[in-house]
Amino acid sequence: MDLQEKINQYWSKRSDEFADARYRDFHSQKKEEWMAVIRRYVPDKKKIRALDLGTGAGFFAFLLHELGCQVTGIDYSETMIENAKKVMQKLGYEGIHFQQMDAQKLEFEDESFDFIFSRNVTWTLPNPEQAYQEMYRVLVPGGRILNFDANYGRAFREQDAQGLTEKQAVSEASPYENPARSLAMLRERNALAGQLSISKVDRPFWDLQFLSLLGMKKMTVDLAAEEHFFGKQPVREEEKAWMNPAALFMVAAEKEKN
């Protein structure tokens, strides 16, 4: 089994947990907070074709739909796509197209989208360079990419070295947002991350450099996006064992107009 299929199997095993988590997010303050953030970067035009790349349970596809976009959500995991469709039906949405697809080999024509959103996806990819190339290819001139991610692979490696992975597994303080609690699951996640080249680069500076080489313009980076957009949250002592130390960053970029 190749690395991509191992990654797919891991995230597919967690699909039901994430579907439940994102459904709860949709009925929480997080929904409005994320919509306010995304609204700042969606192109100012009447018809916006949006791609939610690595849609998971569809949370951001639903937000983009509420913002008036024509939305397509893709994920490598067929199980994730099935759950996204179930959540869509549960929420009463129509017109969102969910499709199983590899983010590194997009099956769309050139210049198919005005806006591409992604969160916590690029760090899981064996070939993130190809994924960015594909995003650039399917984006129209003047279209935008908005990517939220973190140096998770590096953080997991540091946690392993400090013996914190074992503490995560036995902690009872973890909320539903961090569902992989068994030591076996945590070790599987960390082992997969350790095989990915993106875990060894300096992000998001690597992302900015690569996007610049592709020809992207008007690039913006926020190294503490979660804190800046949603406020710094107090952390209880008992939460420190399970919390991921990798800070969420944001990279926004625009494809140069013809």
Side-chain angles (χ1 to χ4, degrees):
M1 184 185 303
D2 65 15
L3 180 58
Q4 180 64 72
E5 287 305 317
K6 290 179 181 178
I7 293 169
N8 179 48
Q9 284 195 3
Y10 173 80
W11 292 109
S12 293
K13 284 188 290 188
R14 296 183 60 184
S15 178
D16 289 346
E17 297 167 345
F18 278 104
D20 291 342
R22 300 293 82 80
Y23 182 76
R24 286 193 286 266
D25 283 348
F26 199 81
H27 294 91
S28 73
Q29 186 179 348
K30 286 186 177 182
K31 174 187 174 183
E32 295 304 323
E33 290 175 337
W34 273 110
M35 286 185 68
V37 173
I38 296 170
R39 190 179 287 114
R40 302 179 194 180
Y41 294 94
V42 171
D44 183 17
K45 54 192 302 187
K46 290 183 178 180
K47 180 181 176 182
I48 302 169
R49 297 164 298 171
L51 175 64
D52 182 16
L53 188 137
T55 191
F59 177 72
F60 292 103
F62 304 139
L63 300 192
L64 289 166
H65 179 76
E66 288 212 1
L67 289 171
C69 301
Q70 296 179 4
V71 186
T72 299
I74 67 156
D75 203 285
Y76 193 93
S77 168
E78 187 65 52
T79 309
M80 289 283 193
I81 292 297
E82 290 172 2
N83 276 333
K85 292 177 180 178
K86 290 177 183 177
V87 176
M88 178 173 66
Q89 187 175 29
K90 197 173 180 180
L91 293 172
Y93 286 117
E94 294 180 351
I96 302 172
H97 178 63
F98 289 109
Q99 185 176 351
Q100 190 279 329
M101 193 180 298
D102 186 350
Q104 301 154 120
K105 299 177 183 177
L106 297 178
E107 300 167 22
F108 303 113
E109 299 291 332
D110 295 355
E111 301 181 6
S112 293
F113 295 98
D114 306 286
F115 185 66
I116 299 176
F117 180 89
S118 180
R119 183 199 178 203
N120 289 350
V121 175
T122 39
W123 80 271
T124 70
L125 300 175
N127 194 338
E129 296 92 343
Q130 187 170 330
Y132 270 138
Q133 288 170 343
E134 283 290 270
M135 288 187 233
Y136 182 84
R137 179 182 66 79
V138 302
L139 202 63
V140 300
R144 296 173 182 170
I145 291 172
L146 183 61
N147 184 19
F148 287 86
D149 209 351
N151 283 306
Y152 293 116
R154 178 181 295 178
F156 298 152
R157 185 169 63 249
E158 292 172 354
Q159 287 179 325
D160 282 342
Q162 297 171 30
L164 295 177
T165 302
E166 286 74 12
K167 291 182 180 180
Q168 279 192 327
V170 300
S171 171
E172 296 180 355
S174 173
Y176 67 84
E177 287 93 342
N178 199 10
R181 295 270 46 88
S182 75
L183 183 56
M185 287 287 283
L186 291 170
R187 284 177 171 167
E188 181 181 0
R189 177 200 67 185
N190 293 6
L192 290 170
Q195 297 178 65
L196 298 172
S197 62
I198 199 166
S199 298
K200 301 174 178 64
V201 298
D202 190 12
R203 304 186 69 201
F205 303 107
W206 173 87
D207 302 70
L208 291 172
Q209 183 179 37
F210 193 80
L211 288 169
S212 178
L213 289 173
L214 288 176
M216 297 294 286
K217 305 294 182 182
K218 297 182 180 179
M219 290 183 287
T220 303
V221 64
D222 190 328
L223 298 177
E226 195 158 24
E227 179 180 333
H228 292 161
F229 289 132
F230 310 121
K232 188 172 183 178
Q233 302 298 318
V235 178
R236 300 191 303 271
E237 188 65 30
E238 63 269 23
E239 294 177 321
K240 293 180 180 179
W242 60 259
M243 285 193 68
N244 194 320
L248 188 73
F249 63 75
M250 181 206 78
V251 173
E254 183 175 301
K255 186 173 180 176
E256 188 171 19
K257 297 178 181 178
N258 293 331

